[in-house]
Amino acid sequence: MNQRKEKLSPTVQASLKSLNISFHKARKVINQIRGCSYEKALMILEFMPYRACKPITQLISSAAANASNNLGLKKDTLFISQAKVDQGITIKRFQPRAQGRAYPIRKSTCHITIIMNSKNKKIEVNLLNFFYFLFLEFMIQRNKKNHGTKNKSTWFPSWLYATTSFSLVCKIKLLFNPIRRR
């Protein structure tokens, strides 16, 4: 049997065990940064108002430091390929109550694992976004044809314009209006 060795991008893993935060609360934060680049993930975590953000930021910084020191990767090419939160042990305590009773307190913990990959910087356009903006351009042209350029269409909702990314719109405009060289 011949086994082919595929060239895979190097991966870096960092894990945090027994963090004193519920796994539901930590998973809410991890879901926001899964698939993001290193710099974007740090920016997202900096402005989120949750307590789980600080240890997750430290964990991502640790994984990036491992990548740069051990494998010689640049931090600007890293992205979070996998991020998972598992339930840890539950610490049980008791709160004294009236008439000699005890009230159980369960303090849940979690384990967080982050795996980062390196990728080459390429100009990537997500196909769904590309077709979405292609559809927008088609609808704009259709509205201009049907309603004229002076009349605003009531059919085409204005919130679609607000959701567009400026850089992606510029790329699409370049695709539709190529520069003619003489």
Side-chain angles (χ1 to χ4, degrees), residues 72-90:
L73 300 174
K74 294 183 180 178
K75 291 183 180 181
D76 58 347
T77 62
L78 294 175
F79 74 100
I80 299 171
S81 61
Q82 294 178 10
K84 63 179 183 176
V85 179
D86 297 324
Q87 186 174 5
I89 61 171
T90 301

Side-chain angles (χ1 to χ4, degrees), residues 49-67:
Y50 302 113
R51 191 178 70 130
C53 292
K54 186 175 180 182
I56 292 174
T57 303
Q58 290 175 346
L59 184 64
I60 290 174
S61 299
S62 172
N66 290 342

Side-chain angles (χ1 to χ4, degrees), residues 21-39:
I21 295 176
S22 171
F23 70 98
H24 294 291
K25 295 175 184 177
R27 195 171 287 161
K28 182 169 49 174
V29 174
I30 286 289
N31 287 339
Q32 298 295 319
I33 62 167
R34 188 177 288 124
C36 293
S37 67
Y38 168 70
E39 294 151 351

Side-chain angles (χ1 to χ4, degrees), residues 85-123:
V85 179
D86 297 324
Q87 186 174 5
I89 61 171
T90 301
I91 302 169
K92 297 178 176 79
R93 298 285 183 259
F94 290 99
Q95 175 76 31
R97 303 301 284 187
Q99 298 179 359
R101 295 184 183 150
Y103 181 75
I105 297 174
R106 289 177 288 279
K107 298 183 177 184
S108 60
T109 61
C110 66
H111 306 309
I112 302 174
T113 305
I114 291 181
I115 298 174
M116 299 180 89
N117 282 346
S118 175
K119 66 177 178 180
N120 295 333
K121 288 237 174 182
K122 295 179 183 176
I123 299 174

